[in-house]
Amino acid sequence: MIPQSIQNDNALILERLSLFLNGDPAAIRGEMVAELASACGVELEEGYRLLLASMLGLDMGHNPAHRALYHRYFPHMVHLLDPADFKGDAYLQNIRFPQAARGDWAFTTQNYRPYEAFVCDDFAPLPDGRVIPQIGYFAQGFSYPAVLQAGREWMTVTPNEIATMRAPLAAAAGRVLTYGLGLGYFAYHAAQRPQVASLTVVERDADAIALFEEYLLPQFPCRDKVTLIQADAFDFAASRMAAGRYDLVFCDLWHDPSDGVALYKRMKGFERLSPRSQFFYWIEQTLRYYI
């Protein structure tokens, strides 16, 4: 049982962080970080953490409880990221994105501004009950490919997508099934694994499939392993998943916890139909927190 005090701390951090990220996540600027770090005699990364804490409403100077909260969460939570750790990813190195659109879907390039805060990984639960959101930033701008659906960013390949797919990709072997196509990041890397014999991708939207088949799939070195099926994920899970005898199933159907919790719980109910499969769910720790 998690102590109520820790539950309260988790809720406070997440509520204030959500307001910041949905408000002005680029409010911190480089000169602000340098000035505070110099004044406090700390490293630049610590200066960024202190600024973020202030913008979340923590009174570090006068409130001992806030200082304690800072030390329990922020060193584990906020990270200066190295662009090279992501720009070197084979998908980003080798896949070229056209200026193209189909239906409601359109390829585009989005950007993180210097020092802009963003979610960079799944929640990290600690043994004492703390749940640590993972927030990253770059000291310079960072661009990433995206697909907009009716003007809303829906599919991306950001540091968050890269980090949160490492575990299912490392486990991928044999016959692999993934629900949700996205920009094909999971499919690209899974298909290249010699341990993977075949990869089935279930995607509901015909325009998303058409864009992928025309512009992205031809660039995949191991595209012969990939089979695309246009179907509703839950219909497929109910009627066809068991027959596929999949070794690994990866589900990535949601944008964030606001739409993901219900979909996650629904898909979990189908695991019993494929007991030999190993199931992975995108941002599962985050989703489990909100259940």
Side-chain angles (χ1 to χ4, degrees), residues 165 169 178 181 184-192 199 201 212 220 226:
M165 292 189 192
L169 283 171
T178 180
L181 173 60
Y185 180 85
F186 179 85
Y188 177 89
H189 282 288
Q192 290 201 74
L199 175 68
V201 182
F212 177 77
F220 280 33
V226 180

Side-chain angles (χ1 to χ4, degrees), residues 10-78:
N10 288 339
L12 186 150
I13 289 290
L14 290 168
E15 178 183 2
R16 297 192 181 190
L17 189 58
S18 178
L19 289 172
F20 178 79
L21 293 175
N22 288 294
D24 187 5
I28 297 175
R29 299 186 300 278
E31 60 270 23
M32 297 165 61
V33 175
E35 182 179 350
L36 182 62
S38 176
C40 296
V42 298
E43 297 293 329
L44 291 173
E45 190 170 6
E46 182 68 6
Y48 186 96
R49 293 188 184 115
L50 291 168
L51 276 169
L52 180 59
S54 175
M55 291 190 174
L56 298 191
L58 300 189
D59 184 356
M60 303 289 289
H62 302 93
N63 190 321
H66 284 184
R67 285 198 298 274
L69 190 69
Y70 174 86
H71 290 295
R72 289 200 302 272
Y73 283 82
F74 280 72
H76 309 284
M77 183 174 82
V78 183

Side-chain angles (χ1 to χ4, degrees), residues 49-271:
R49 293 188 184 115
L50 291 168
L51 276 169
L52 180 59
S54 175
M55 291 190 174
L56 298 191
L58 300 189
D59 184 356
M60 303 289 289
H62 302 93
N63 190 321
H66 284 184
R67 285 198 298 274
L69 190 69
Y70 174 86
H71 290 295
R72 289 200 302 272
Y73 283 82
F74 280 72
H76 309 284
M77 183 174 82
V78 183
H79 314 281
L80 171 61
L81 302 179
D82 184 348
D85 291 340
F86 303 97
K87 291 294 188 183
D89 182 271
Y91 179 96
L92 294 179
Q93 286 278 314
N94 297 321
I95 300 299
R96 297 294 174 260
F97 294 87
Q99 295 296 316
R102 188 182 297 269
D104 287 340
W105 302 92
F107 287 117
T108 189
T109 298
Q110 302 284 70
N111 298 280
Y112 289 128
R113 288 167 283 181
Y115 296 93
E116 179 175 355
F118 57 88
V119 175
C120 67
D121 207 340
D122 202 358
F123 281 4
L126 299 184
D128 65 0
R130 281 176 293 163
V131 174
I132 312 295
Q134 297 298 297
I135 304 301
Y137 68 96
F138 294 107
Q140 57 273 341
F142 184 91
S143 61
Y144 58 89
V147 166
L148 305 183
Q149 183 185 31
R152 182 193 184 198
E153 184 180 277
W154 184 253
M155 305 173 186
T156 61
V157 179
T158 66
N160 186 39
E161 274 76 28
I162 292 171
T164 51
M165 292 189 192
R166 284 173 180 153
L169 283 171
R175 294 172 58 81
V176 176
L177 168 67
T178 180
Y179 292 115
L181 173 60
L183 284 170
Y185 180 85
F186 179 85
Y188 177 89
H189 282 288
Q192 290 201 74
R193 284 177 58 80
Q195 302 94 326
V196 170
S198 65
L199 175 68
T200 300
V201 182
V202 176
E203 169 60 48
R204 181 176 60 184
D205 193 279
D207 290 329
I209 292 174
L211 277 174
F212 177 77
E213 287 186 317
E214 182 173 355
Y215 296 108
L216 302 185
L217 184 60
Q219 302 181 60
F220 280 33
C222 299
R223 55 188 172 274
D224 291 344
K225 289 185 182 181
V226 180
T227 299
L228 290 162
I229 297 176
Q230 184 186 355
D232 176 83
F234 299 102
D235 290 344
F236 187 95
S239 62
R240 300 168 66 181
M241 180 172 66
R245 298 183 58 81
Y246 297 105
D247 298 288
L248 182 139
V249 178
F250 176 54
C251 188
D252 180 11
L253 296 172
W254 37 85
H255 186 259
D256 56 35
S258 65
D259 65 331
V261 169
L263 297 174
Y264 167 72
K265 291 169 67 176
R266 186 179 176 191
M267 185 58 76
K268 288 285 287 183
F270 290 103
E271 287 189 9

